[in-house]
Amino acid sequence: MRFTSPRGGALSSAAGLPIADTIAFTPPDDGVVVICGGSAWEADTAPDLTDALRQSLDNGCVVAAICGGTVALANAGLLDGVRHTSNGADYLPSLSKAYRGIATYVDQPQALRDGQIITAPAPAPASFAYEVLAAAGLPEDAARQVKDMLRQEHQR
């Protein structure tokens, strides 16, 4: 596992808490690429990862995105013709001029995997974690246990 960012360098949380020093993202040869969510993907100044994400898919990687991270996939054209979900049916069309995937959008509260693409709306961290861990090769029973533990945090 490695932590990267579009340009590399230090990262901090939305509240300013230092998180990590990262290297610039380059397409890996295998594995799972995870695009974390956040409002940065909604800005006009969002990084363009189109070439790197397409190369990751060509290399055989699974590409996963949750919440605002799905905008990066839409901008790269990776959701066209692929069943996917996000933060509502109007979310991606309102933020991505390149998005052409509305015909295959699935409005559901859980993560969704279609081939090499995993997508999830913001409130779906448990099912997103399960799909990412399963794609990374964790045995299904172990991935399901993680999903169940995460889900229990959100029960009243």
Side-chain angles (χ1 to χ4, degrees), residues 3-143:
F3 293 95
T4 67
S5 62
R7 292 178 275 290
L11 292 180
S12 60
S13 72
L17 179 68
I19 298 174
D21 196 21
T22 64
I23 58 173
F25 177 69
T26 57
D29 294 329
D30 60 10
V32 182
V33 173
V34 178
I35 307 296
C36 297
S39 59
W41 298 110
E42 299 171 353
D44 291 337
T45 57
D48 182 2
L49 297 179
T50 298
D51 292 339
L53 292 175
R54 288 180 181 169
Q55 184 62 52
S56 296
L57 279 179
D58 289 346
N59 292 350
C61 295
V62 171
V63 177
I66 187 169
C67 186
T70 59
V71 176
L73 273 59
N75 287 338
L78 301 185
L79 302 180
D80 302 351
V82 175
R83 289 174 26 105
H84 62 282
T85 191
S86 186
N87 293 339
D90 295 333
Y91 182 74
L92 294 173
S94 71
L95 294 168
S96 174
K97 293 178 181 118
Y99 179 63
R100 303 287 180 267
I102 195 66
T104 52
Y105 181 81
V106 179
D107 195 17
Q108 69 178 41
Q110 304 87 12
L112 175 63
R113 180 172 182 182
D114 187 354
Q116 291 174 257
I117 301 292
I118 299 170
T119 53
S127 59
F128 184 69
Y130 166 77
E131 293 293 346
V132 167
L133 292 170
L138 190 68
E140 185 175 344
D141 288 346

